[in-house]
């Protein structure tokens, strides 16, 4: 049996199964012998039989023997299925997939080797009558199990490292997006500060100019105060006109400030900056959702 490559344990298992099959075969042969003996004892009681009587006896015997053989073949097929069930169930516990080559079941050379092994094993009468113990199937050797578990652990560790690397990449992208957002916010603030300073400078210049004008008018008014009443009225009118002009200029300045602010908001730089901030905000939200997803998976 060494040609099959079995170790001692598996060879003993094969011997146990062959002894079991031999005992079942012996029982069935005894049953068939009893069928013939029953025919002899019950029907062959006369010295002469007609052809019809012999034919009827043989037909009845054929039915009985056919039923016994069919029952034995069916029982043996079912027994083999139960044996395969034990082997497959044990293999599935260790994530193994066994395969059966049906064509090898009719290999005449292997069948002859099995027959020779059976003859050598059962040639002594003591072995034939010996009661066969049928231990349960032993588990696979620990080396194969450890190797399978180590492979599975290695695969899981590799997947875990890939997930960690991807998480670090996402975190880096998120930090970069946050830095870009901060830069964009600072740039927007700087633009707003520059715009405010420019507006304040324009307003200060206009007010200073108006103050200079008022001071000049007041000086002229003081100089002409001692002049003629007509001249005094003219100066007074000029002062009133200057005040109106000042109010009008202030109003124009306010309108100009509003127009300047509106134009600034319509500029391409302002719109681009606002659009960039909106895109960065969307990217940050998407990255946060993806981070939450991977944190939930872990």
């Amino acid at each position: 049996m060494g040609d099959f490559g079995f170790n001692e344990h598996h060879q003993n298992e094969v011997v146990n199964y062959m002894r079991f099959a031999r005992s079942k075969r012996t029982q069935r042969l005894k049953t068939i012998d009893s069928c013939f003996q029953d025919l002899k004892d019950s029907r062959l009681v006369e010295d002469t039989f007609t052809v019809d009587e012999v034919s009827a006896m043989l037909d009845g015997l054929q039915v009985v023997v056919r039923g016994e053989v069919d029952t034995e073949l069916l029982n043996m097929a079912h027994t083999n299925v139960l044996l395969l069930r034990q082997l497959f169930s044990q293999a599935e516990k260790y994530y193994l997939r066994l395969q059966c080559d049906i064509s090898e079941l009719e290999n005449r050379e292997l069948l002859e080797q099995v027959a020779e092994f059976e003859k050598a094993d059962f040639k002594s009468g003591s072995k034939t009558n010996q009661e066969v113990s049928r231990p349960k199937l032993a588990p696979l050797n620990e080396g194969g199990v450890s190797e399978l578990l180590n492979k599975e652990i290695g695969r899981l560790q590799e997947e875990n490292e890939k997930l960690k690397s991807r998480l670090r990449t996402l975190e880096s992208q998120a930090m970069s997006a946050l830095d870009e957002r901060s830069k964009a916010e600072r740039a927007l603030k700087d633009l707003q500060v520059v715009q405010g300073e420019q507006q304040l400078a324009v307003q200060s210049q206009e007010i200073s100019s108006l103050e200079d004008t008022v001071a000049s008018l007041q000086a002229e008014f003081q100089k002409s105060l001692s002049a003629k009443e007509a001249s005094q009225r003219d100066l007074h009118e000029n002062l009133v006109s200057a005040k109106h002009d000042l109010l009008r200029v202030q109003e124009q300045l306010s309108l100009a400030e509003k127009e300047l602010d509106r134009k600034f908001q319509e500029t391409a730089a302002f719109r681009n900056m606002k659009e960039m901030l909106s895109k960065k905000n969307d990217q940050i939200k998407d990255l946060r959702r993806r981070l939450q997803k991977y944190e939930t998976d872990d």
Side-chain angles (χ1 to χ4, degrees):
M1 206 59 180
D3 296 338
F4 291 95
F6 290 165
N7 56 30
E8 182 179 359
H9 171 76
H10 288 160
Q11 181 167 328
N12 292 332
E13 294 296 324
V14 171
V15 171
N16 291 333
Y17 177 75
M18 293 181 68
R19 289 174 179 174
F20 166 75
R22 183 181 177 87
S23 65
K24 299 295 290 185
R25 186 169 66 251
T26 301
Q27 293 177 4
R28 192 56 58 185
L29 289 175
K30 291 180 179 180
T31 302
I32 293 176
D33 291 340
S34 65
C35 292
F36 282 89
Q37 189 63 40
D38 290 342
L39 178 64
K40 293 177 182 179
D41 296 340
S42 62
R43 301 294 300 274
L44 300 179
V45 294
E46 300 179 4
D47 294 335
T48 58
F49 293 94
T50 64
V51 175
D52 293 336
E53 290 175 341
V54 172
S55 177
M57 287 187 291
L58 291 177
D59 289 341
L61 181 61
Q62 179 184 7
V63 171
V64 174
V65 173
R66 180 184 179 86
E68 292 292 336
V69 173
D70 181 68
T71 301
E72 175 59 21
L73 293 175
L74 183 62
N75 182 68
M76 185 58 64
H78 293 172
T79 303
N80 291 333
V81 171
L82 292 179
L83 179 62
L84 291 175
R85 177 179 176 273
Q86 294 182 33
L87 296 176
F88 292 159
S89 298
Q90 188 179 41
E92 289 177 359
K93 292 181 180 179
Y94 301 98
Y95 305 99
L96 299 177
R97 293 184 178 181
L98 303 182
Q99 292 181 346
C100 298
D101 188 355
I102 304 300
S103 62
E104 287 295 321
L105 299 180
E106 296 181 352
N107 189 320
R108 299 306 306 174
E109 182 180 355
L110 295 178
L111 290 174
E112 290 175 0
Q113 292 181 15
V114 174
E116 292 176 0
F117 174 78
E118 184 179 12
K119 290 178 182 179
D121 187 72
F122 296 104
K123 62 183 179 180
S124 63
S126 59
K127 289 185 179 180
T128 304
N129 298 326
Q130 181 181 5
E131 184 178 357
V132 180
S133 61
R134 299 181 59 195
K136 294 184 178 180
L137 291 176
L140 297 177
N141 61 78
E142 294 299 329
V145 177
S146 300
E147 184 178 358
L148 290 174
L149 291 177
N150 290 332
K151 288 182 179 180
E152 183 67 15
I153 291 172
R155 184 183 66 82
L156 293 175
Q157 289 177 346
E158 184 179 356
E159 292 182 357
N160 190 28
E161 290 298 328
K162 290 181 180 179
L163 290 175
K164 288 181 178 180
S165 177
R166 187 173 182 183
L167 181 60
R168 287 193 295 268
T169 302
L170 291 174
E171 289 177 349
S172 177
Q173 293 177 355
M175 294 301 296
S176 300
L178 288 173
D179 292 339
E180 292 180 0
R181 179 185 177 183
S182 299
K183 292 178 180 179
E185 290 178 348
R186 287 196 297 270
L188 180 60
K189 290 180 180 179
D190 293 339
L191 288 175
Q192 292 175 348
V193 170
V194 171
Q195 180 188 8
E197 291 177 352
Q198 291 177 351
Q199 291 177 352
L200 289 175
V202 172
Q203 291 176 358
S204 298
Q205 185 178 0
E206 292 289 339
I207 292 173
S208 178
S209 177
L210 290 173
E211 288 177 349
D212 292 341
T213 302
V214 172
S216 176
L217 291 174
Q218 287 178 350
E220 293 179 359
F221 179 75
Q222 291 294 335
K223 290 180 181 180
S224 61
L225 185 61
S226 59
K228 296 178 180 180
E229 292 294 331
S231 235
Q232 187 177 4
R233 287 195 301 269
D234 292 338
L235 290 175
H236 181 70
E237 292 175 357
N238 289 334
L239 181 60
V240 173
S241 178
K243 288 182 179 180
H244 288 301
D245 292 338
L246 177 60
L247 294 174
R248 184 171 60 257
V249 170
Q250 288 179 345
E251 184 179 0
Q252 292 176 354
L253 181 61
S254 177
L255 294 174
E257 180 182 358
K258 293 181 181 178
E259 182 67 19
L260 180 61
D261 184 64
R262 184 184 63 78
K263 289 183 178 180
F264 176 75
Q265 292 181 359
E266 292 178 354
T267 58
F270 183 86
R271 290 196 302 271
N272 292 335
M273 188 65 64
K274 187 174 181 181
E275 183 178 359
M276 184 173 64
L277 282 175
S278 177
K279 290 181 178 179
K280 293 301 179 181
N281 287 331
D282 293 339
Q283 291 179 359
I284 289 171
K285 290 179 181 179
D286 181 62
L287 289 173
R288 284 177 177 171
R289 286 195 300 270
R290 293 170 65 184
L291 285 173
Q292 291 176 356
K293 177 181 178 182
Y294 284 107
E295 289 174 357
T296 303
D297 294 339
D298 291 339

